[in-house]
C-alpha cells in the first residue's frame, strides 16, 4: 500500500513530502517533478505570489541515479517568500509584536480552525489550510504519475468552465460517448489545455472567461469553476466491490474532494444519470478486436467500483476563492463585534491549478489500486504480474470464460 504525508505551512520555510511504498527502479527526474509543479502554479487569475515562488523540488531520499530504490522518498520545496515571513513564522521566539489575526474570512478555515485548535491567532489555521500545501501533493502525485506512465496510463485534465462560462461541454459529451480517445489521450488533453492561460480546450471561450475574471477582480470578487479529469490506458480490474473502502469510485471521490475548495465530484455522467432512462445511461457491452469495450462511457470507466478498461472520467467543481477584497461580514474574535472580513493577498480564481492538483490525486489513487492488484517490490516484478494478468485475460476472451 502506498501512502504519503506532507508537512509545511504556507509561509514557513519549506514544504516536505514523504512518499512510501512504491517499487524500486521507477525512473523519475527532478525536471519532471518541477514541470508538474510549474503547471500547478500557472493560470490566469492567480495572485502575485506565484511570481515569487517558482517551485523547484529538492530530492532528499529514495531516488538514486534517477530511479526509485524502494526506500521512503522525501522531497523538499522551499517557500521563497519565507524570507519576508521569518518573524511572523518564527519557530523559536516566544511571541511576535505584530497584531494577531482575529477576524476570520468566511469560506476559509480561519474560524473553524481557530475554534477547534484553541488558537488566539487565526494565522495558525490560515497557514496549514492554505492550498500552498498542494505543491507537496503534486510532488507525491508525480511519482504516481511516472509509475503509471510506465504502464501506458496517462492522466490529464482541462477546465470546463469558470464563473459559469462553459467552454468545453461538447467535448465532455464526446468523452462520455467513448469517442476520439487513444491510450495517450490523457497526456494530450493536458498538453493542449496547458496552451491556454485558463486551461480550456476550446479557445473560442477563452477570451470570455478571461474578461469574466477581470471583471471579478475589478469588483473585488472571485470565481470558481468546473474541470474534467481523464485517465487513459487504465486496465480492467482496478478497485473492488468486495468492501465499501475498496471501491475505486469512492476512493477517487474522496481524494478529489480533499483538494482545497473542491465541492463536488462526479464520475462519468454523474448527476445527469439521475434524470435519464436506464437505456441512455448504461454502456452497452461489445466485443471488439478481441477486447471487451462499451459503446459509450457514461459510467466514466468504472462499474461496481472496478475499472472497465475504458478511460476514467471525473468531473469536479471548485467553489470561488474565499478571500475577497470586497469584504464579507465577519466577527472580530477579540472584541466579538461585527466587522468586515480582512483581506490577505489572494488568487481571484485558481480553477486551472486546481485541475492540475486533482490530476495528481487521481494519479495517486490509480497507482494505489494498481499496486494493490499487481503488487511487486521492483517495477520489473510489477510488470511481470501485470503482463501475466493481461495475457490470461486475453486468453479467456479468446476461449470464452467457461472453465
Ligand atoms: C490552487 C488553489 C489556490 C487557492 N488559492 C486561494 C487563495 O489565494 N485565497 C483563498 O482564500 N483561497 C484559496 N484557495 C481556496 C482555499 O484553499 C480553500 O477554500 C480553503 O482551504 C477552505 O477549504 P474548503 O474550501 O475546502 O472548505 C485555493 C485553492 C486552490 C485549490
Amino acid at each position: 500500500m502506498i501512502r504519503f504525508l506532507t508537512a509545511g505551512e504556507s509561509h514557513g520555510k519549506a514544504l516536505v513530502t514523504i512518499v512510501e511504498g512504491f517499487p524500486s527502479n521507477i525512473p523519475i527526474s527532478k525536471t519532471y517533478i518541477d514541470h508538474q509543479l510549474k503547471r500547478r502554479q500557472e493560470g490566469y487569475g492567480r495572485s502575485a505570489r506565484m511570481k515569487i515562488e517558482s517551485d523547484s523540488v529538492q530530492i532528499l531520499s529514495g531516488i538514486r541515479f534517477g530511479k526509485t530504490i524502494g526506500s521512503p522518498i522525501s522531497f523538499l520545496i522551499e517557500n521563497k517568500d519565507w524570507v519576508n515571513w521569518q518573524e511572523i513564522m518564527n519557530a523559536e521566539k516566544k511571541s511576535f509584536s505584530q497584531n494577531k489575526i482575529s477576524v476570520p474570512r468566511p469560506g476559509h478555515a480561519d474560524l473553524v480552525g481557530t475554534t477547534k485548535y484553541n488558537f488566539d491567532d487565526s494565522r495558525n489555521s490560515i497557514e496549514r489550510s492554505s492550498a500552498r500545501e498542494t505543491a507537496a501533493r503534486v510532488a507525491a502525485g508525480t511519482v504516481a504519475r511516472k509509475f503509471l506512465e510506465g504502464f501506458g496510463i496517462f492522466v490529464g485534465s482541462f477546465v470546463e468552465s469558470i464563473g459559469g462560462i462553459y467552454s468545453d461541454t461538447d467535448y465532455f459529451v464526446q468523452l462520455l460517448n467513448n469517442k476520439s480517445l487513444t491510450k495517450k489521450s490523457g497526456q494530450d488533453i493536458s498538453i493542449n489545455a496547458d496552451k491556454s492561460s485558463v486551461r480550456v480546450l476550446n479557445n473560442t471561450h477563452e477570451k470570455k472567461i478571461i474578461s469574466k475574471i477581470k471583471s471579478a477582480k475589478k469588483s473585488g470578487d472571485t470565481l470558481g469553476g468546473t474541470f474534467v479529469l481523464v485517465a487513459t490506458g487504465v486496465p480492467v480490474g482496478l478497485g473492488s466491490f468486495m468492501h465499501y473502502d475498496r471501491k475505486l469510485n469512492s476512493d477517487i471521490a474522496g481524494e478529489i474532494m480533499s483538494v482545497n475548495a473542491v465541492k463536488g465530484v462526479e464520475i462519468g455522467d454523474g448527476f445527469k444519470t439521475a434524470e435519464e432512462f436506464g437505456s441512455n445511461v448504461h454502456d452497452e457491452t461489445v466485443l471488439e478486436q478481441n477486447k471487451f469495450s462499451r459503446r459509450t462511457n457514461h459510467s466514466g470507466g468504472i462499474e461496481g467500483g472496478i475499472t472497465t478498461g475504458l478511460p476514467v472520467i471525473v468531473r469536479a467543481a471548485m467553489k470561488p476563492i474565499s478571500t475577497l477584497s470586497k469584504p464579507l461580514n465577519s466577527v472580530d474574535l477579540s472584541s466579538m463585534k461585527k466587522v468586515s472580513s480582512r483581506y490577505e493577498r489572494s488568487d481571484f480564481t485558481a480553477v486551472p491549478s486546481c485541475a492540475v492538483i486533482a490530476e495528481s490525486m487521481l494519479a495517486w489513487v490509480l497507482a494505489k489500486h494498481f499496486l494493490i492488484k499487481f503488487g511487486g517490490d521492483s517495477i520489473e516484478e510489477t510488470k511481470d504480474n501485470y503482463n501475466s494478468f493481461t495475457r490470461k485475460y486475453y486468453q479467456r476472451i479468446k476461449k470464452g470464460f467457461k472453465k
Side-chain angles (χ1 to χ4, degrees):
M1 177 74 98
I2 53 170
R3 56 193 176 145
F4 77 86
L5 280 176
T6 70
E9 276 80 42
S10 180
H11 299 94
K13 199 168 185 181
L15 298 166
V16 172
T17 312
I18 298 182
V19 176
E20 207 246 343
F22 276 97
S24 60
N25 299 333
I26 303 168
I28 180 127
S29 68
K30 169 179 159 51
T31 316
Y32 192 59
I33 301 168
D34 284 351
H35 169 65
Q36 299 301 336
L37 292 174
K38 186 164 186 284
R39 291 182 64 228
R40 190 199 78 93
Q41 293 194 284
E42 291 183 341
Y44 187 82
R46 304 225 48 198
S47 78
R49 179 161 187 204
M50 289 309 114
K51 292 195 182 86
I52 304 173
E53 288 304 343
S54 64
D55 287 335
S56 167
V57 75
Q58 292 174 40
I59 300 171
L60 303 182
S61 71
I63 297 175
R64 187 160 180 253
F65 302 131
K67 285 184 179 171
T68 57
I69 55 171
S71 59
I73 300 166
S74 49
F75 297 125
L76 186 140
I77 302 166
E78 271 179 22
N79 288 325
K80 307 232 166 54
D81 206 11
W82 181 69
V83 287
N84 305 312
W85 288 74
Q86 289 183 56
E87 286 288 307
I88 301 173
M89 296 304 294
N90 198 288
E92 285 167 53
K93 271 190 171 176
K94 288 275 176 280
S95 67
F96 178 58
S97 52
Q98 195 170 304
N99 286 348
K100 291 176 178 170
I101 295 176
S102 60
V103 180
R105 296 162 300 170
H108 229 300
D110 304 6
L111 180 57
V112 286
T114 307
T115 308
K116 180 176 166 70
Y117 293 101
N118 193 23
F119 295 141
D120 64 350
D121 181 358
S122 294
R123 168 67 49 209
N124 293 340
S125 297
I126 294 169
E127 286 295 319
R128 182 63 184 162
S129 63
S130 156
R132 176 83 192 123
E133 180 267 348
T134 59
R137 293 202 216 183
V138 168
T142 305
V143 181
R145 188 192 283 271
K146 196 68 195 152
F147 166 78
L148 293 172
E149 286 176 5
F151 293 90
I153 303 167
F154 294 91
V155 180
S157 71
F158 64 93
V159 170
E160 187 191 36
S161 72
I162 293 183
I165 299 178
Y166 278 76
S167 163
D168 297 301
T169 40
D170 290 351
Y171 187 66
F172 183 65
V173 174
Q174 270 181 41
L175 285 179
L176 299 179
N177 281 315
N178 197 11
K179 301 242 167 68
S180 68
L181 285 179
T182 65
K183 246 191 156 191
K184 271 201 151 181
S185 288
Q187 187 179 50
D188 297 340
I189 285 168
S190 269
I191 290 172
N192 285 331
D194 289 350
K195 288 178 192 155
S196 154
S197 63
V198 283
R199 303 201 68 245
V200 293
L201 294 178
N202 180 344
N203 287 343
T204 46
H205 288 94
E206 187 180 22
K207 273 196 185 138
K208 272 194 187 169
I209 288 177
I210 289 176
S211 72
K212 179 121 192 196
I213 300 170
K214 278 184 180 158
S215 74
K217 204 169 167 178
K218 210 167 156 194
S219 60
D221 224 318
T222 59
L223 295 170
T226 58
F227 58 87
V228 175
L229 302 164
V230 183
T232 47
V234 182
V236 66
L238 306 189
S240 171
F241 49 72
M242 291 300 178
H243 223 286
Y244 67 94
D245 57 354
R246 293 176 60 196
K247 292 192 167 203
L248 185 68
N249 45 334
S250 71
D251 232 0
I252 290 176
E255 303 261 338
I256 305 299
M257 285 288 277
S258 80
V259 178
N260 308 42
V262 170
K263 294 295 149 194
V265 179
E266 294 177 290
I267 312 276
D269 245 348
F271 274 76
K272 194 166 176 290
T273 59
E275 301 165 3
E276 295 284 340
F277 287 114
S279 53
N280 290 335
V281 165
H282 302 300
D283 306 307
E284 285 184 299
T285 312
V286 288
L287 200 54
E288 268 172 5
Q289 295 163 342
N290 231 357
K291 249 167 94 178
F292 285 122
S293 188
R294 305 290 193 284
R295 288 241 178 274
T296 50
N297 190 16
H298 297 290
S299 74
I302 302 172
E303 285 173 346
I306 300 177
T307 50
T308 60
L310 261 64
V312 170
I313 298 170
V314 182
R315 177 154 54 175
M318 182 189 189
K319 73 177 184 181
I321 297 291
S322 313
T323 310
L324 273 65
S325 60
K326 172 181 73 182
L328 298 171
N329 288 331
S330 185
V331 174
D332 188 323
L333 303 179
S334 52
S335 66
M336 291 305 196
K337 297 234 163 74
K338 180 185 159 192
V339 287
S340 288
S341 171
R342 50 180 288 282
Y343 184 72
E344 171 153 345
R345 181 185 56 191
S346 188
D347 299 328
F348 298 93
T349 193
V351 186
S353 313
C354 194
V356 173
I357 300 156
E359 275 179 32
S360 285
M361 297 311 292
L362 180 59
W364 184 267
V365 181
L366 292 174
K368 176 173 131 189
H369 285 271
F370 195 98
L371 278 165
I372 289 172
K373 172 140 183 65
F374 299 112
D377 292 314
S378 67
I379 196 72
E380 294 76 14
E381 192 182 350
T382 312
K383 279 195 173 152
D384 282 349
N385 298 341
Y386 171 74
N387 291 337
S388 155
F389 171 80
T390 313
R391 201 172 46 248
K392 284 183 194 146
Y393 171 63
Y394 288 130
Q395 278 169 4
R396 284 179 86 193
I397 294 176
K398 227 172 174 177
K399 292 187 187 153
F401 276 37
K402 217 162 71 184
K403 291 221 169 149

